Amino acid sequence: METYQLKLEVEVDESSNVLEGYRIVDIDYILKRAMNVQVNHNKICTGGLLLFHNEKRKGLFSTFTYKCNACDKEESICTEKPQQEKTINKRIWKQCLQDNFNETIQQERAIAIEKNDIDTDGIPFTTVYLDGGWSKRSYGHSYSAASGTAVIIGKHTGKVLFLGVRNKYCSICARGENKGKESRKHICYKNWKGSSTAMEADIVVEGFNDSIITHDLKYKYFIADGDSTVFSKIKQNVSYGLH
């Protein structure tokens, strides 16, 4: 099996005292924030005007600092609500990742068609590698990991076709439960209530079903670490699992 290296781009904070170029912004938030900042400042400094001082950039997220020309007080305005958890950087990253998966699956499908790997129902098929991991695992003893992940890798391309994560724990929900209160509104990543050992099989089944529904491609053969549970779940829950 070939080894592939993924080059990661590091997100760097950059500061500048010059405004130029383009930005992606939450237009409703930034306009209201700009007006409120100036109005509120005028209540304490009637003769001052807030002028642009500098910009701090973090990926696609920017924080603009304005300084009063009279009292030197500084105020900041962000390109989106700074407290929201799903920032523009995360949204762009997630979409780019999905686009990459889709492109790779189509490559696998094209290779299958070229090799004439077509099933009896006319749908192309390919071979994939499966692997999973947990945040905590003790072989032969306690399987109590709070989160787990699994990937499906195309044999021909050597690239990831599908990735899934299962979480049994959310810190915000847990704090609310401990205090006996309803948790504040938040993006909750808890998406699993079953056993930790079943996480990998559930992710793999999702990926196999997605391949046929979304991409018209079967993962007819797979190479894994000999986990009989995964094989059993595929046969039971994947539309083409018994063929």
Side-chain angles (χ1 to χ4, degrees):
M1 180 176 178
E2 296 182 56
T3 301
Y4 291 82
Q5 293 184 342
L6 178 63
K7 184 179 180 181
L8 297 178
E9 294 185 3
V10 180
E11 188 176 279
V12 181
D13 288 350
E14 298 180 356
S15 296
S16 173
N17 57 3
V18 177
L19 265 181
E20 59 184 8
Y22 301 90
R23 308 289 185 275
I24 299 175
V25 304
D26 180 339
I27 191 65
D28 181 66
Y29 166 76
I30 199 170
L31 289 178
K32 290 179 179 177
R33 172 65 177 160
M35 289 187 290
N36 289 336
V37 164
Q38 184 64 64
V39 170
N40 292 333
H41 183 73
N42 288 344
K43 294 178 181 178
I44 59 175
C45 182
T46 57
L49 181 64
L50 291 172
L51 302 175
F52 174 75
H53 180 60
N54 62 42
E55 175 190 13
K56 185 176 182 181
R57 303 182 67 175
K58 186 175 183 180
L60 297 175
F61 181 88
S62 289
T63 300
F64 306 109
T65 300
Y66 290 80
K67 179 181 288 189
C68 179
N69 61 355
C71 68
D72 286 337
K73 181 177 175 59
E74 294 185 354
E75 297 284 356
S76 64
I77 301 174
C78 301
T79 50
E80 64 178 3
K81 294 179 181 178
Q83 68 271 24
Q84 68 182 28
E85 297 180 47
K86 195 173 182 181
T87 66
I88 182 65
N89 292 327
K90 291 181 180 179
R91 289 195 291 271
I92 294 295
W93 172 85
K94 185 176 182 180
Q95 185 58 55
C96 288
L97 181 64
Q98 187 58 57
D99 290 344
N100 184 265
F101 288 163
N102 293 340
E103 180 181 348
T104 302
I105 292 173
Q106 290 307 312
Q107 291 175 6
E108 285 282 339
R109 188 174 187 277
I111 294 173
I113 294 173
E114 183 180 353
K115 292 169 64 67
N116 200 33
D117 288 340
I118 310 295
D119 215 347
T120 54
D121 55 5
I123 298 177
F125 64 83
T126 191
T127 300
V128 295
Y129 300 106
L130 309 180
D131 199 8
W134 290 262
S135 58
K136 171 189 175 184
R137 187 172 184 179
S138 177
Y139 287 94
H141 299 284
S142 174
Y143 294 81
S144 58
S147 62
T149 185
V151 294
I152 300 175
I153 301 172
K155 181 181 179 181
H156 298 304
T157 61
K159 298 178 181 179
V160 177
L161 308 178
F162 186 86
L163 180 150
V165 177
R166 297 292 182 267
N167 289 309
K168 298 198 292 185
Y169 179 80
C170 170
S171 59
I172 297 177
C173 290
R175 284 198 295 269
E177 292 172 1
N178 291 336
K179 295 179 180 179
K181 299 180 180 179
E182 185 177 350
S183 302
R184 63 177 174 81
K185 186 177 180 180
H186 66 287
I187 298 175
C188 183
Y189 294 100
K190 183 166 64 174
N191 60 2
W192 185 248
K193 294 183 179 180
S195 67
S196 300
T197 55
M199 290 176 175
E200 180 183 12
D202 189 70
I203 295 169
V204 168
V205 166
E206 181 188 355
F208 272 57
N209 282 324
D210 179 72
S211 74
I212 189 71
I213 295 172
T214 307
H215 305 285
D216 199 31
L217 175 68
K218 292 182 179 181
Y219 301 152
K220 190 172 182 178
Y221 306 104
F222 69 86
I223 301 170
D225 57 6
D227 192 333
S228 59
T229 302
V230 173
F231 183 49
S232 176
K233 291 295 183 181
I234 290 174
K235 290 196 297 181
Q236 294 173 17
N237 301 293
V238 174
S239 61
Y240 55 92
L242 294 175
H243 301 286

